[in-house]
Amino acid sequence: MLRNREIRILACSFCIITFLGVVTGFLIDPAAGSLVLALSAAFGVLFLGFTESRYRKIAELAEQIDLVLHYGERMDISQEEEGELSVLQSEITKMTLRIREQNDALRREKNYLSDSLADIAHQLRTPLTSLNLVWSLLENGSEQQERRQLLREGEELFSQVDWLLTSLLKLSRLDADIVDFKTEAAQVRKLVDAALHPLLIPMELHDITIDKSLPEDAQIEGDAGWLAEAIRNILKNCMESAGDGGRIEICCKDTLLYTEISIHDDGAGFEAEELYHIFDRFYRGKKENASGYGIGLALSKTIIVRQGGTITAKNHPEGGALFTMRFPKE
């Protein structure tokens, strides 16, 4: 307490005033001097006790703040009576709670980053291992036809790695909030056609049928390029689910409140436990033959939600998976 310069000055001033008062009192009358001395002593004791109590409470507050700043698990600040110290304590309590929340958020982000890096490394390792095997077979010498087949497989693996890295880059840009979405009227038909265009040849090779039921005047307010990307990733998932000779149905419902796009395939659908994780990053489902990297659907959801829409996935009553995207109207 006496380390405080203001307290030392106040104590010295009090002692000087008390000394002068006592001397003056004794000069006037010994009883007056004794009374001044007693009153000064009583006032000094009360002042010291009160100041020491407040300093003790301030020290407790400082200790609690130090615990929070050093990731302590305990924060026990008792409530004071009305007064300036109570106001200070209330504000400090708010501050410590906010710091605790931020520390917890940083811990979660750190763990999430660590898990994400591990998942990314795992996802990249699979195609790179396959590429290494392809190059080994090519180096050991093969027949011309087998070499061509290996080169095609290598080219496909390179495409998978390129798609994975591109999708991860898009996700990181969206997470960093550095993507400026355009707000424009986009026709649903044009969006679906743009999403389908890169997939037409693979669909033809796998004999997948596309049925479209899209109103000519249906529109969505948003960024056409990113929305087409989101729809394309959903269509890719439906292609993998439908398989050879499968069928995909794309419908649109345009109401006064929202525009809804639904995509239905005739594949096996989802297991009950998969529905809770279908849009999680790097989630590939429980099926042993599951393909993909668990990126596309997560990217689609991020794009749609960032533009004010919603997306759900469930099993269709007639079988297969059903994805529903809904965009509210202003």
Side-chain angles (χ1 to χ4, degrees):
M1 181 174 63
L2 293 178
R3 290 177 298 179
N4 192 313
R5 181 171 177 271
E6 288 78 8
I7 296 295
R8 291 200 304 270
I9 293 174
L10 182 61
C12 292
S13 301
F14 176 78
C15 291
I16 293 172
I17 294 173
T18 299
F19 176 77
L20 294 176
V22 170
V23 171
T24 303
F26 274 105
L27 291 176
I28 297 173
D29 188 281
S34 300
L35 180 60
V36 171
L37 180 61
L39 290 175
S40 299
F43 179 77
V45 171
L46 289 175
F47 175 77
L48 290 175
F50 176 76
T51 305
E52 183 181 2
S53 174
R54 293 180 71 84
Y55 266 81
R56 185 172 60 253
K57 292 171 183 176
I58 293 174
E60 291 175 359
L61 293 177
E63 181 182 358
Q64 296 298 325
I65 294 173
D66 186 68
L67 285 174
V68 175
L69 291 176
H70 291 83
Y71 303 100
E73 297 298 330
R74 180 175 64 90
M75 187 179 67
D76 182 20
I77 300 179
S78 58
Q79 185 63 38
E80 294 292 329
E81 298 179 356
E82 293 294 331
E84 294 180 357
L85 188 59
S86 176
V87 174
L88 174 63
Q89 177 178 299
S90 176
E91 295 302 315
I92 291 176
T93 302
K94 294 177 184 178
M95 181 191 69
T96 52
L97 290 174
R98 183 67 178 271
I99 293 174
R100 171 62 57 79
E101 291 174 357
Q102 291 178 348
N103 287 340
D104 292 340
L106 287 173
R107 260 196 228 104
R108 289 194 298 268
E109 289 181 6
K110 183 179 179 180
N111 293 334
Y112 177 75
L113 178 61
S114 177
D115 294 340
S116 295
L117 289 174
D119 286 330
I120 291 170
H122 175 73
Q123 300 291 356
L124 287 172
R125 188 179 295 114
T126 301
L128 291 177
T129 301
S130 299
L131 277 171
N132 188 38
L133 177 61
V134 169
W135 299 139
S136 298
L137 293 174
L138 286 171
E139 288 178 355
N140 293 333
S142 304
E143 297 180 359
Q144 187 69 16
Q145 183 177 359
E146 186 177 354
R147 288 177 62 87
R148 290 178 180 174
Q149 178 64 26
L150 290 172
L151 287 173
R152 282 195 296 269
E153 292 180 4
E155 184 179 355
E156 183 178 349
L157 289 169
F158 271 121
S159 298
Q160 292 178 10
V161 173
D162 178 69
W163 180 87
L164 176 60
L165 293 175
T166 302
S167 299
L168 288 172
L169 178 60
K170 290 177 180 177
L171 272 174
S172 65
R173 291 178 61 198
L174 290 170
D175 288 341
D177 198 18
I178 60 176
V179 176
D180 292 327
F181 289 109
K182 300 178 182 177
T183 303
E184 55 189 4
Q187 289 187 347
V188 173
R189 280 192 174 187
K190 291 184 178 180
L191 281 177
V192 173
D193 289 341
L196 278 171
H197 183 71
L199 307 176
L200 292 177
I201 294 177
M203 285 183 174
E204 184 178 351
L205 292 174
H206 292 281
D207 193 24
I208 296 177
T209 304
I210 294 290
D211 293 332
K212 295 185 290 184
S213 177
L214 306 172
E216 190 171 347
D217 57 345
Q219 294 183 341
I220 295 174
E221 291 290 331
D223 192 306
W226 282 99
L227 289 174
E229 171 82 16
I231 296 173
R232 185 180 302 121
N233 288 329
I234 296 172
L235 289 170
K236 285 181 181 178
N237 189 87
C238 291
M239 285 176 55
E240 296 172 358
S241 178
D244 294 342
R247 175 175 168 272
I248 298 175
E249 181 182 12
I250 308 173
C251 299
C252 176
K253 181 168 65 174
D254 193 24
T255 71
L256 295 175
L257 299 177
Y258 59 84
T259 301
E260 181 181 282
I261 302 175
S262 60
I263 302 176
H264 167 223
D265 65 60
D266 62 351
F270 305 111
E271 296 182 6
E273 58 184 15
E274 288 183 319
L275 292 173
Y276 297 99
H277 306 284
I278 198 67
F279 295 107
D280 291 351
R281 297 183 187 183
F282 308 111
Y283 182 77
R284 301 177 61 185
K286 300 294 183 180
K287 300 175 184 177
E288 295 182 358
N289 60 345
S291 58
Y293 300 96
I295 293 292
L297 293 181
L299 179 58
S300 293
K301 182 176 181 179
T302 303
I303 293 171
I304 292 171
V305 171
R306 285 285 304 277
Q307 299 193 68
T310 61
I311 180 171
T312 59
K314 63 180 181 180
N315 290 317
H316 195 277
E318 298 178 1
L322 175 63
F323 292 90
T324 303
M325 294 161 281
R326 182 173 291 182
F327 300 89
K329 295 182 178 181
E330 294 182 358

